[in-house]
Each structure stands twice: as C-alpha cells, then as structure tokens.
Amino acid sequence: MSKLARVFSGIQPTGVPQLGNYLGSIKNWVAMQNSGQYSELFYSVVDLHALTVPRDPRILRQETMEMAAAIIACGVDPKRSVLFRQSAVPAHTQLLWTLGCITPVGWLNRMTQWKSKLQSQNEAANLNAQAAQGLLTGLLTYPVLMAADILLYRATHIPVGEDQVQHLEFARDLALHFNKTYGQKLFPPPQSILTPSKRIMSLKDPLRKMSKSDPNEMSRITLSDTDDDIRRKIKRAPTDAISGITFDPKERPGVANLLSIYAALKDIADPAVAAHTMESMNNAQLKEAVADSVVQTLGPIRDRMHRLLDDKAYVEQVLCDNEAKARSVAEESWREIAKCVGLAGL
C-alpha cells in the first residue's frame, strides 16, 4: 500500500467505550497506526454527530473526555496519530453546508439509518410528511456530515464495519458528484478497509448488537469494568444445551457471540477456527476461557484509562495540540474547496 495513504475514522463520544467499540473500532485504529502502511491517520471523537440526539452539555463534555482518554489508553499514540474533537475544527461544518447544497434528498431518503428511524415511529419505511414529522433534520443529514469528515482530509482509506459500508458508499458518491459538478478532481474517492472484527452482540440477547444504550448493564462489558464484573457478566451470558463447542450464529447465537469475542481478542480471523480448538469444552469452560482473554486484554487498558482520567489537564492538552494539527490540514483543504465553489475561504 502506498505510504501516501491517509486514514480518517471517527467514533461518537459515548463515554467509556464498551467491548464492541473497542473490538470494532479502537483496536483496529491501533493496528493501523502500528502497521506503518499509512502516512497519516486522523482519528476523531465526533461530538458534532452526537448532537443528533440533544444531550446535557455537561455530560457530553464529560463523555467526550472519557472517550478520548480511553482511546489513548487503548494504544492510540497522539504523536503518531492525530486524535481530535470534531467540533474543534470549524471546517467540518463549512464543508457540511457546501456538500449539503448539492446532495439530492433522494440519496438521503435511501439511507438505511434514516429508514430505520422512520420505522421506529411505526410508520412506513419511505419518506413522507407524516412519518418524518417527529424526526430531526440532523438524522437526515447525518451522512453528509460523515462525508464531510472524510473528504475534508482527502482521506484515501476509511476503516468501516459491515453496518457502515453504506455511509462510505455515500461519501464516495458525493465526492464524485462534487468533482463532476465543479469540474475539478478535488476529492479522491475514499476506499474502504473492512475491519476484521464482526459486530459484538449483547451478553443478554445475542440477537442484538452490544450497546451502551441498553438499560441492562449486564448486556455489555465496558473498559471500566473490574475483573470480577467481566467474569460475572460472561458467566451469566446465555448459551444453550447443545454439547460441545461449535460456531453456528444461526442455531447457537450465544455461543457464537462468545467465540467471536474470543477470536477478536486473540486475533483469530475466523471464530470457527477458535471453535475447533475448543470443541471438547463445555459452555462453562468456554465462558472461563473468554473471561480470561477479556480480563487479560482490558485490565491494563482500564488501569491506564483511570490514570489518564485522573489527569484530565494532560488529556485536554493532548487534544488541543492535535486539534491544531487537524485544523492546519483542514483549513488548507477548505481554502481549496472554497475557491473551487466561489467562496471567500479563510
């Protein structure tokens, strides 16, 4: 891969991450940083995206700080990667408006996330005045801001999970649409890097994704959980009465979820391979092996995170230093964009 490759990725400020956040995003950020394959890596705590659901300002700031500290604790080195808060770089919203002005509403209507919000209001899955009446504009235009995040840095490679592929395709389409509209090859169409970890499911309902929005704390493992918390939650995770260990997400979703967690932590690409090495175990032994691997991985991260949160001034300074770097790149990019569309720039 060319050393000129530039990566952008973002994560919402949900406070201390849960295991799915770590395995699905942050662990991969660290791996890309350490691979030496990329010339620049921009990792953002996307606090503007968090405003699609109104939040208590104090809690939002606190959870942004917690997420930043956790990312550093997981191994993202602010001297090798640019870690910053999205809202500290005004060009994100400047490009949002510029791109929004050329984005067909039909493209936004087709986005799965928007359709699911409509469905959640017990309305038809297509846009109509009645169904969309109670939804907020930010939910509709969310993909445009995500595209602006990527295109502002002329990112060439974007790590995405299975549930984010449509958003990257939207960003690619918008990059090409902008280039065609203004007759300039300003934005390189970003390429996807499919993250190796599959989505991690709830420890209470393995048919649902692990999420911090779940009111049941037993459904998830967070990076602040104690070793005892982790073991207790995994011990109580649902499995089945089938003997032996096999990877079968359809028939054995609980066992499959535990195997997915174990494989992701051990860097085993296929959970079925992990299952083969454990086929003679019973469910209790599987849970013990999974708990051991989670504790061994998250214990040191938890300790580093707590030390960082005890020194918030240090974390704030790290963010401010990195935000200056991000602004420098973003402002140079915005000047070119502004000139292209006929605006004053900076």
Side-chain angles (χ1 to χ4, degrees), residues 115 118-119 122-128 131:
K115 290 182 179 181
L118 291 175
Q119 289 175 323
N122 298 317
E123 299 287 351
N126 61 316
L127 181 65
N128 60 68

Side-chain angles (χ1 to χ4, degrees), residues 137-159:
T137 305
L139 294 172
L140 179 65
T141 60
Y142 183 98
V144 184
L145 179 55
M146 186 176 289
D149 297 336
I150 294 167
L151 301 182
L152 181 62
Y153 298 93
R154 317 286 179 87
T156 58
H157 292 79
I158 313 299

Side-chain angles (χ1 to χ4, degrees), residues 304-322:
R304 288 193 295 269
M305 183 180 67
H306 286 327
R307 288 196 295 271
L308 287 164
L309 289 173
D310 285 340
D311 189 2
K312 292 186 177 68
Y314 168 77
V315 178
E316 178 67 27
Q317 188 60 56
V318 166
L319 290 172
C320 288
D321 291 345
N322 276 246

Side-chain angles (χ1 to χ4, degrees), residues 108-327:
L108 298 172
N109 291 343
R110 291 194 294 268
M111 299 302 291
T112 301
Q113 190 176 46
W114 174 251
K115 290 182 179 181
S116 70
K117 295 297 183 181
L118 291 175
Q119 289 175 323
S120 71
Q121 295 210 351
N122 298 317
E123 299 287 351
N126 61 316
L127 181 65
N128 60 68
Q130 184 179 3
Q133 186 173 332
L135 297 179
L136 303 177
T137 305
L139 294 172
L140 179 65
T141 60
Y142 183 98
V144 184
L145 179 55
M146 186 176 289
D149 297 336
I150 294 167
L151 301 182
L152 181 62
Y153 298 93
R154 317 286 179 87
T156 58
H157 292 79
I158 313 299
V160 293
E162 293 176 342
D163 57 347
Q164 292 294 321
V165 170
Q166 187 187 34
H167 285 98
L168 180 59
E169 291 174 347
F170 179 92
R172 284 178 57 85
D173 290 343
L174 198 48
L176 295 170
H177 183 49
F178 180 97
N179 291 346
K180 182 178 179 181
T181 299
Y182 288 101
Q184 302 276 348
K185 292 185 178 180
L186 202 60
F187 298 126
Q191 301 177 35
S192 64
I193 306 172
L194 284 175
T195 55
S197 298
K198 302 296 182 183
R199 65 174 62 187
I200 302 302
M201 311 307 283
S202 164
L203 292 179
K204 296 305 292 181
D205 179 359
L207 299 180
R208 297 174 55 196
K209 188 175 178 180
M210 184 178 287
S211 172
K212 289 195 73 175
S213 63
D214 191 320
N216 189 339
E217 291 191 0
M218 294 297 292
S219 69
R220 62 186 172 274
I221 292 169
T222 72
L223 270 58
S224 61
D225 282 349
T226 66
D227 293 353
D228 289 343
D229 290 336
I230 292 168
R231 293 187 185 282
R232 184 174 67 255
K233 290 177 180 181
I234 292 175
K235 185 176 182 179
R236 296 182 182 179
T239 48
D240 52 55
I242 301 173
S243 60
I245 302 301
T246 56
F247 183 70
D248 187 343
K250 185 174 181 180
E251 298 298 328
R252 309 186 70 184
V255 170
N257 189 38
L258 293 175
L259 285 167
S260 293
I261 293 171
Y262 181 86
L265 290 169
K266 296 294 186 180
D267 293 319
I268 300 171
D270 185 355
V273 174
H276 181 69
T277 66
M278 299 175 161
E279 59 186 358
S280 63
M281 289 185 178
N282 57 38
N283 288 338
Q285 291 169 322
L286 169 64
K287 290 180 177 181
E288 184 175 356
V290 174
D292 286 344
S293 65
V294 176
V295 166
Q296 289 167 9
T297 300
L298 297 192
I301 291 173
R302 178 187 62 231
D303 294 343
R304 288 193 295 269
M305 183 180 67
H306 286 327
R307 288 196 295 271
L308 287 164
L309 289 173
D310 285 340
D311 189 2
K312 292 186 177 68
Y314 168 77
V315 178
E316 178 67 27
Q317 188 60 56
V318 166
L319 290 172
C320 288
D321 291 345
N322 276 246
E323 284 154 5
K325 298 176 186 177
R327 279 194 299 272

